[in-house]
Amino acid sequence: MNQPLVNIQGAQITSSHGQVAHALGRGIVLGRHREGELLPAEADLMKQFGTSRTVLREAIKMLAAKGMVVSRSKVGTRVRERSAWNMFDTEVLRWYLEGGVDRRFLRDLAEIRLAVEPAAAALAAVRRSEQDLAAMDAAITTMRDANALNAGYADADLALHLALADACGNVFMRSIGAVIEAALRVSFQLSSPPDPVEHERSWKAHADIVEAIRRGDADAAARATERVIYHGLERHGVLAGEVAG
């Protein structure tokens, strides 16, 4: 991966096989176990983790279900190519984030957001309820009043985007928003506006989305959402040309 921009800590894991899967999964994401290579032999992994064959095999099954490895009798367990990993799996995403967010991750996240969020905003303009608008207005108020570098700004930013996903009335779009919530949170923390001028520009750009939704203007809501995503990329230092919009 490229040089990480930020690191975060994951949730505590209590089960033995979960701990082994976490260690191996994180090692795969960090490149300690490279794509296409075999993991160490079963006996070596049992010794390394001080665990039983049953626990180890349960951990391998977890990783296989996430698309990260494939096991073959008399061959061993091979790390699969990154494109096979299920990045919508919350644990895979957490391991990725623990390894550090890089430009590639930010680009990929922006591309999936551009594919989904403008469409969600357009639907919200048609389907939103007064309760939806109240939730979005509350988030905008918090963003307006929060210090530009306060974590509360990022939390309100996330709350707005999740409220928008609720307002669109599409369960699949809402599920995508929930699955990548951790990624969005890190992204918004990284892109929180660094000065008063940028802070005002940012919250007003988000307010434009809400006002377009309030008016029922689907096209304007979609365009305003696209602008917000591109503004965030600018603050990350990722050029718009790097993203397939």
Side-chain angles (χ1 to χ4, degrees):
M1 277 195 254
N2 297 331
Q3 180 64 31
L5 298 177
V6 68
N7 292 312
I8 66 167
Q9 296 300 314
Q12 186 176 3
I13 303 168
T14 56
S15 68
S16 297
H17 65 272
Q19 291 173 352
V20 174
H22 173 87
L24 288 173
R26 192 167 185 268
I28 290 171
V29 169
L30 292 175
R32 295 172 187 155
H33 307 296
R34 298 183 181 278
E35 298 170 50
E37 292 184 351
L38 290 172
L39 291 179
E42 192 174 73
D44 293 333
L45 289 175
M46 290 167 57
K47 182 178 180 180
Q48 176 185 338
F49 293 109
T51 193
S52 68
R53 178 173 282 103
T54 299
V55 168
L56 177 61
R57 289 183 175 178
E58 284 299 314
I60 295 297
K61 285 181 182 178
M62 286 181 62
L63 297 178
K66 300 173 190 302
M68 300 186 77
V69 301
V70 59
S71 296
R72 294 285 185 269
S73 178
K74 300 182 180 179
V75 175
T77 300
R78 190 176 303 277
V79 178
R80 298 186 66 187
E81 65 279 7
R82 187 179 300 267
S83 61
W85 302 355
N86 181 9
M87 290 300 294
F88 284 106
D89 182 282
T90 54
E91 288 184 300
V92 175
L93 183 58
R94 186 177 74 242
W95 297 334
Y96 199 102
L97 291 172
E98 287 177 352
V101 177
D102 56 19
R103 292 174 70 88
R104 175 182 175 180
F105 179 87
L106 295 173
R107 182 204 66 194
D108 289 350
L109 177 61
E111 286 173 349
I112 190 63
R113 291 184 64 198
L114 286 167
V116 173
E117 290 188 40
L123 288 174
V126 178
R127 298 174 177 173
R128 92 294 186 277
S129 66
E130 291 302 314
Q131 184 177 359
D132 293 324
L133 286 174
M136 288 186 273
D137 286 338
I140 291 295
T141 298
T142 301
M143 293 174 71
R144 181 195 66 197
D145 296 341
N147 181 284
L149 296 179
N150 193 304
Y153 187 95
D155 289 340
D157 196 342
L158 176 63
L160 173 64
H161 287 266
L162 294 181
L164 188 154
D166 280 334
C168 81
N170 184 296
V171 293
F172 293 103
M173 288 184 177
R174 182 60 180 86
S175 294
I176 290 175
V179 168
I180 63 173
E181 179 176 343
L184 288 176
R185 186 178 298 280
V186 172
S187 175
F188 295 156
Q189 287 172 343
L190 281 172
S191 63
S192 293
D195 59 66
V197 173
E198 187 59 33
H199 171 237
E200 183 174 8
R201 178 194 181 202
S202 179
W203 77 258
K204 285 185 175 179
H206 285 78
D208 287 343
I209 300 174
V210 178
E211 288 310 306
I213 291 174
R214 193 188 313 277
R215 296 195 309 270
D217 191 332
D219 290 340
R223 290 195 302 271
T225 302
E226 289 180 355
R227 287 195 295 271
V228 163
I229 295 172
Y230 281 119
H231 287 169
L233 283 173
E234 289 174 12
R235 291 196 295 273
H236 290 317
V238 178
L239 301 177
E242 296 181 49
V243 178

